[in-house]
Amino acid sequence: MTALDEVKIGGLGASRLRVEDQRFVRGRGTYLDDIKLPGMLYMEIVRSPLAHARITRIDTSKAWQIPGVRLVLTGEMMAQRNLAWMPTLSYDTQAVLATDKVRFQGQEVVVVVADDPYIAKDGCDAVEIDYEPLPAIVNPEQSAAPGAPIIRDDKPGQTDNTCYRWEVGDREATERAFAEADVVSSLKLHYPRSHPSPIECCGAVADFDAGTGKLTVYMTTQAPHIVRAAVALIAELPEHQIRIVSPDIGGGFGNKVPVYPGYVHAILASILTGRPVKWIEDKTGNLISTGFGRDMYLDAQMALRRDGKILAVRMHADTDQGAFFADAQPSKFKVGLLHSAFACYDIGIGYITAQGHYTNKAPGGVAYRCSFRVTEAMFFQERMMQAAATDLGMDQAEFRRINLRRDDAFPARTPFGFLVDSGQYHKCLQVGLDAIGYDQFRREQAAAREKGRLLGIGISTMTEPLGAGNSREYDILGIKMFDSAELRVHLTGKAILRTGARTQGQGHETTWAQIVAHELGIPADDVVVEEGDTDTAPYGMGTYASRSTPVAGAAVSMAARKVRAKARKIAAHLLEVSEEDVEWELGRFYVRGAPERGASIQECAMAAYSNMPDGMEPGLEATAYYDPPNLTWPFACYIVTVEVDPETGVWDVLRVVAVDDCGVRINPMIVEGQIMGGLTEAYAMASMQFQTYDADGNMIGANYMDYLLPTAWETPGFELHEVVTPCPHHPIGAKGVGECAAVGGPAAFVNAVIDAIGDAGVRNIDMPLLPDRVWTALQTRQSVSGAPPVGRS
Amino acid sequence: MYPAKFAYEAPRSIQELLDLLARHGDDAKVLAGGQSLVPMLKLRFAAPELVVDINGVPGLDHLTEDPDGTLRVGALCRHVTLERSALLAAEYPVMAAAAPLVADPMVRSRGTMVGSICHADPQGDWASVLMALGGHIVAMGPRGKRPIAMTDFVVGPFQNALQPGEFAYEAVVPPPVGQRTGTYLKLERRVGDFATVGVAVSLEHSGGRVVRAGIALTGVGPATINAADAADVLVGKPLSEETVEQAARLAAEAAQPQADHRGSVEYKRHVVATFVRRGLARGEVVAA
Amino acid sequence: MSFSKTVEITETSADTRRITVTVNGTPRVVEVEPRLLLVHLLREGLALRGTHIGCDTTNCGACTVLHDGNPIKSCTMLAVQADGHEITTVEGLGTPSELDPVQEGFHREHGLQCGFCTPGMMMAARALLDREPDPSEEDVRWALSGNLCRCTGYQNIVKAVLWAADKQRGAQPAEEDAR
């Protein structure tokens, strides 16, 4: 008998076409807005037009009079039920509906519930609110200035606008290293506020059934179990009477992790009206009030030896947290995993400090394909590398070669406490350089410069920690960041698998089945995958920060191995040999020495229901909860070439080369899809996508006319390459990958443009590199900042 | 996302349309392509009592050239018709350059040139094109048709010169007095973006000299800007490096840009000058 | 008697117009308020939820349908404007037993991830191929430049449309099976 072909049955390495597609291409997905329950009402929110103001009057009487309006909620009504404020995932509090004050433009002030959303909107227009404006704070400098108004005057003991302080590393050793340096390079920049902006907005359908006492909430959430816990705490409903269902999600990117006030409004509205209530926000609501990413000011220095060796790094980060500290991130790390910066380089000494600032802007900062602020870490890292190489007069690739960890250097501990366990960084860099034709390009660049044309090349190399995370260090609200899988094999050998993850386009329904196929030889087509319903899914911390393959995927593997272990006992029973004499090949147990005598996994499944060994429990299923021993460390090299038009500052991308190592690839097609998506985000952030504010706190970027996402026309093509270094601790050697290109990509684009400008006076141009910023840099031969407020000139 | 209530009429003839407008005056808004009006209704920036849908009125969708070379673009002629027109590609380079740069393919399926001009958005591309071509709008009202020169048509941001009871029947481009060249250049960061700067440059040549010229600017002022002085320096002589430079400089001076997140005043003026230079030198389509 | 003939009259039933819109080949007669957007007629009135709503400023294209064969944004048309016209939605692509080449191309070339932009994207692609059966990559990117996608980076979407064009023309599409 020949063994099964793993690729043919849809195991690891198969570019299996996606199961999800069948419904999506027919328009038969079930997204939140597709859910319609009998008697359902619709909810709209009245939002503050001002960034910082006292509320002096709210009159909802005219709204109540509109036929079809069923409920109008104010902060006062919420306060009577102790629901005007709620805890955030960062141990702060956040207003659910404003009572006396609004603290950011777009903050929720009044909620209207009606028979249809047109009438709800009519109701919103009929609400009268008077405000007394207060000065608006739109950046950390204003926030920290002496005499600045205290934004969080609701917090007892809050005497300024500081949100948190954090530090890591060895300050004294770092100071000593800097004192000994031949060269010290410095760089300051602002990573602008950017918004994940999945095409689908956030929403919920809340349905409290007074007859059973059960609350069901359909919700656009990447982490339904976290939400169930949060609702149990906030709404003080018993956890077993709360069911969170995450239907198909139209993109998450971290935007659909936080618990938003709108969800709480919908839940209360359903309880009060006795009917299901749907809230689906519009794009402006999504952009102006929900979880954004970045808005970090970085100021760092690098201590260098003349031969190019980096001796130490020192960084300070100021983060703009908006009006409430609402980041979804592991609780011990106030600025996420910023301290993963420089992990791919052999640097022994470092010190990082960070301070969070309250401002009159929407709350957030950790979202948007960022791996918990690793986007900021790696962007800054590679921008710093560019600056340092320039200061040393050294080639960009050569400088990286000197400092990248060697293959035999693992495992290695970074100065900030991470354990990097594997990598082939030099190979990855070389594959990239060969693919782009690095030396050839440098020659072309020089020749073009003679003719006044500005060509540039940018390199970004990095490794990042994905798969939060082990229980010693990682938790959210005290809940450890494990994940889970439950696998049940039916009597005909088909199976159902449920996990605590929640796909939003990553293809879990396709890829988790591939892991089962790999472990058990059950064809992937024979395994149905479910996620997202807290009544049926085992407890998981959801899908974000590229954690699902590292954690949930590992759990799938472990559950399948438990099933295989039980099946082995059944096989021994069927084959009438002892267990030690049973061997396994994909899909089949056989007798050692007599391979023609075997039992397929399907035969074992049937036997589990019809012919069990004495004393064995019937059935063939297992659950696994996986606490990862470490994060996984994918790494990458992104190289971009550009041409800049010196007369307009417009730049065009010539080529994008991406070399990614995410260990064993479950489904190469899906991995490539993730990388291309991430590269597009990188291009978007580098070229056009950002949110900013004017001096009054008005947001620019609160709709798709101002918040620009690239279309198929602007977006460049991508050339993808791979290196494979299996993860040493993951059951199938896989690593996370979903965010790598969004994390490492932006610096490649920016480095390329800075390289094209080629003037040491222009050390930095803040993203996005809008044509006017590039042109201004060329004209003034100086760096260009993009920090708000805008419209200052 | 949800318009306020309004009444709706869909006239089936020009006379019916005129009667409705006469009766309702300022309470009525004309709906043609809807790609400007419907978004405004959805955001409740516009809340008319009555929407008058002219899509069912015959005789308004023409794109025709009179025997003397006058071009007429009817109120219901869609952007996409202009984008795909062989006539425009052959004989109207400024219009042919501008058409693909308006919004995106779906908006171009429905939106109309005349509607866009009536909307009088300083970001509107067609207003600059018609202005540079020295064209006019034919208004139709209870007392018949009257031409309104494009330079008189926009009276302020989002304000046009139509009187109550009038609608815009067609846009008219005058017959040529020479060989047409020109282009429309638009700096947009991506398809569908508002222009950071847009420049329409139109020339007509005869006997080796420029006999007519028009330069108009998008997105750099409270309304479409007619850079008349810049165009005037080109007329009556052959194009030369010197006149091109003068025109570029004067056009930049005519611009009244605001500093915003798209750029500083200096930058926008500089792009105006650059685009005038490029437009005059090459006459090619460059969507920056 | 058919259940669908029962219409509840509530105090909120406002002035409506009766219109006839042919949707996916079937004439549908409905009573709508003038302010009702076409996308809401499709999704809520006719329970055709494959057309999605993504933004509020006519930018994203998730709501793209065909109006007399032309791709339009159904969020930017009033339902009453569709009176007497033909609308094709994603539900009108292919048949119950066979996918349209565009749908099949998106599946084979991994042209979708979360699937939310996909119906609109496919309708724009369908309109392109109806007009231009042998498009270049540039033609495809231009035709789709009014449809935003956050997941795919567009490269596979372009491949999907070119695959569909090949299939329709009877040319051999790239290797049948997964790579």
Side-chain angles (χ1 to χ4, degrees), chain B residues 115-127:
Chain B
S116 162
I117 291 172
C118 287
H119 188 55
D121 188 343
Q123 291 288 359
D125 301 305
W126 285 121

Side-chain angles (χ1 to χ4, degrees), chain C residues 108-143:
Chain C
R108 290 197 175 272
E109 294 289 352
H110 189 37
L112 64 146
Q113 292 180 23
C114 81
F116 198 74
C117 77
T118 306
M121 196 70 79
M122 291 191 305
M123 298 315 291
R126 183 68 262 156
L128 168 68
L129 295 183
D130 286 347
R131 185 171 53 81
E132 173 50 76
D134 189 10
S136 65
E137 172 171 346
E138 206 176 83
D139 292 334
V140 174
R141 286 180 178 269
W142 185 249

Side-chain angles (χ1 to χ4, degrees), chain B residues 1-6 8 31 34-35 39 42 44 53 55 83-84 100 104-106 108-110 190-191, chain C residues 17 34-35 37 40 53 55 58-59 64 67 71-73 75-78 80-81 131 142-143 145-147:
Chain B
M1 189 61 206
Y2 308 103
K5 287 190 208 221
F6 52 81
Y8 171 87
L31 171 66
Q35 304 303 286
K42 285 161 65 177
R44 303 199 176 194
D53 180 352
N55 285 281
E83 184 184 0
R84 294 191 191 147
D104 66 55
M106 271 86 74
R108 292 197 292 274
S109 269
R110 292 295 301 171
R190 66 125 213 229
V191 169
Chain C
R17 278 176 93 88
R35 64 171 171 166
L37 301 175
H40 290 134
I53 297 172
C55 76
T58 313
N59 290 108
T64 303
H67 172 279
I72 65 146
K73 296 184 177 181
C75 72
T76 309
M77 179 178 279
L78 305 173
V80 288
Q81 290 182 270
R131 185 171 53 81
W142 185 249
S145 60
N147 294 80

Side-chain angles (χ1 to χ4, degrees), chain A residues 722-786:
Chain A
E722 70 175 286
V723 173
V724 180
T725 310
C727 172
H729 61 78
H730 190 279
I732 57 168
K735 308 178 184 179
V737 71
E739 295 167 314
C740 288
V743 168
F749 289 95
V750 177
N751 284 348
V753 176
I754 300 288
D755 184 67
I757 293 175
D759 190 304
V762 181
R763 196 152 179 84
N764 182 57
I765 302 171
D766 278 343
M767 292 196 291
L769 271 61
L770 302 168
D772 89 279
R773 292 187 190 180
V774 175
W775 181 81
T776 301
L778 283 165
Q779 294 300 301
T780 62
R781 316 313 289 184
Q782 281 178 355
S783 295
V784 177
S785 156

Side-chain angles (χ1 to χ4, degrees), chain B residues 24-79:
Chain B
H24 294 275
D26 275 344
D27 290 338
K29 283 289 259 175
V30 167
L31 171 66
Q35 304 303 286
S36 302
L37 179 59
V38 175
M40 292 196 352
L41 293 173
K42 285 161 65 177
L43 295 174
R44 303 199 176 194
F45 291 161
E49 308 256 330
L50 170 68
V51 167
V52 179
D53 180 352
I54 64 169
N55 285 281
V57 176
L60 294 179
D61 61 353
H62 50 276
L63 172 65
T64 55
E65 203 177 43
D66 292 352
D68 72 352
T70 302
L71 183 76
R72 298 181 186 280
V73 182
L76 287 177
C77 181
R78 316 265 176 204
H79 302 302

Side-chain angles (χ1 to χ4, degrees), chain A residues 362-373:
Chain A
V366 174
Y368 194 16
R369 222 160 175 166
C370 73
S371 316
F372 302 127
R373 294 207 188 265

